[in-house]
Amino acid sequence: MRRRLRLGSVGLYARDRGRLAVFYQTIFDMKLIASDADNEVSQLTLDGEGGLCNLSIVSNPISVQIVFHAGSLIEMKELWERVKSKGVPASGLYVQPEGISFRFPDPEGNEIMVLWPQNLGR
């Protein structure tokens, strides 16, 4: 079976969120799709028309997150079992409008979310 796990989005910490947003807009031609009034997150995308957020730049390091999209529910369950068998503390499964997900930390404490999106075929 061919693996279909792919990177969905990333949340990066920045001391100067505006400067980092301009960098990604300039270098990668990303489009700014949202920036909240509290100056905590800027969302950018490579797909200017789809409105999907590929990169979140956050002011709080606790908000750092990496999202992987599973290609199938079977693949997601296999990854869940692998994470649990390695003793990594995982939480979930969560059902949300975007799909079904679970979360776990990497060794540095960054949050990883695995999502089986309902709209993966788009």
Side-chain angles (χ1 to χ4, degrees):
M1 176 190 239
R2 195 178 110 218
R3 180 176 217 164
R4 294 190 49 196
L5 189 68
R6 65 182 186 176
L7 186 62
S9 62
V10 174
L12 295 176
Y13 167 71
R15 289 179 296 280
D16 185 339
R17 203 170 40 92
R19 187 179 78 157
L20 195 57
V22 168
F23 171 83
Y24 280 95
Q25 289 172 295
T26 303
I27 300 298
F28 294 101
D29 199 27
M30 295 185 87
K31 307 294 182 230
L32 183 67
I33 57 171
S35 185
D36 75 357
D38 295 330
N39 294 325
E40 290 185 14
V41 64
S42 295
Q43 295 179 329
L44 295 100
T45 184
L46 288 167
D47 175 18
E49 295 180 23
L52 297 175
C53 176
N54 301 108
L55 175 64
S56 294
I57 301 172
V58 298
S59 298
N60 184 342
I62 292 176
S63 300
V64 171
Q65 175 177 276
I66 302 164
V67 179
F68 289 93
H69 290 177
S72 70
L73 186 55
I74 292 170
E75 181 181 27
M76 185 172 164
K77 287 179 180 179
E78 289 172 352
L79 187 56
W80 168 264
E81 292 300 326
R82 184 176 328 130
V83 167
K84 297 300 276 183
S85 73
K86 301 292 184 190
V88 178
S91 61
L93 298 167
Y94 303 107
V95 178
Q96 52 203 41
E98 298 84 19
I100 300 170
S101 68
F102 70 93
R103 299 168 188 268
F104 60 97
D106 72 10
E108 293 290 326
N110 299 304
E111 181 175 281
I112 297 170
M113 180 170 80
V114 177
L115 174 70
W116 178 47
Q118 293 178 355
N119 63 354
L120 186 62
R122 285 182 26 164

